[in-house]
Structure formats: C-alpha cells, structure tokens
Amino acid sequence: MPLPKIADARQLSDEALGTEILAAKRKLFELRLQQATRRLEKTHEFKHTRHWIAQLLTVERERELTKAETTATTEDEINHGS
C-alpha cells in the first residue's frame, strides 16, 4: 500500500477533512492498542497513518490561513475605502 497523496486531502471538503482527521487519529489509537496487546501485524500502518494525519492537518492549516488572509484583505479594503 503506497503512502497517501496530499492531492487526495486537498479534494476533501472542510467537513470531510475534519471527519477524516478524526478517523485517522482513531485509527492511530487502535494501532497503538494493537501494538500494546501484541496483535499488530502490519507495522507500516503507523507510518502511513501518521503521514496521512500530517497531510490532513497541513491542508486544514492552509485553508485557515487562506481564510484569514482573505478576511484581512477585505477588512483593509473596507477601512481604507478602496
């Protein structure tokens, strides 16, 4: 199974992105639980899941910054009469 691509994360809506982040964190918890009980067979799943979470959080932060930038630009235009 290849590592997930960030393009896949960018295609998600804001709501789907939040849902996917929670699902990935839950999966990581379950992997840790399996490792603690010595039932984990696919150890590479840790790397893939952490990588996917990082990509999802990156996309979420990019969207937050874009919204903040857009809001600041709009406020500047209103305050300066442009």
Side-chain angles (χ1 to χ4, degrees), residues 4-49:
K5 304 291 183 202
I6 197 159
D8 298 335
R10 287 196 172 109
Q11 292 175 354
L12 297 172
S13 68
D14 289 343
E15 293 171 8
L17 187 64
T19 304
E20 190 66 30
I21 289 170
L22 288 175
K25 286 184 176 184
R26 193 172 296 122
K27 180 178 179 183
L28 189 60
F29 174 78
E30 290 171 5
L31 288 171
R32 288 183 180 134
L33 186 63
Q34 288 177 7
Q35 184 182 34
T37 58
R38 299 187 186 268
R39 291 183 290 126
L40 183 64
E41 294 178 12
K42 299 178 182 178
T43 57
H44 67 280
E45 295 271 333
F46 274 109
K47 179 180 180 178
H48 291 232
T49 305

Side-chain angles (χ1 to χ4, degrees), residues 3 10 13 15-16 18 43-46 52 55 59-60 63-64 80:
L3 288 171
R10 287 196 172 109
S13 68
E15 293 171 8
T43 57
H44 67 280
E45 295 271 333
F46 274 109
W52 182 235
Q55 288 177 334
V59 171
E60 183 179 52
R63 290 181 184 176
E64 287 175 3
H80 289 59

Side-chain angles (χ1 to χ4, degrees), residues 44-70:
H44 67 280
E45 295 271 333
F46 274 109
K47 179 180 180 178
H48 291 232
T49 305
R50 283 195 320 264
H51 187 81
W52 182 235
I53 291 170
Q55 288 177 334
L56 293 169
L57 292 174
T58 298
V59 171
E60 183 179 52
R61 183 67 178 146
E62 287 173 347
R63 290 181 184 176
E64 287 175 3
L65 292 175
T66 303
K67 286 179 186 175
E69 184 178 301
T70 303

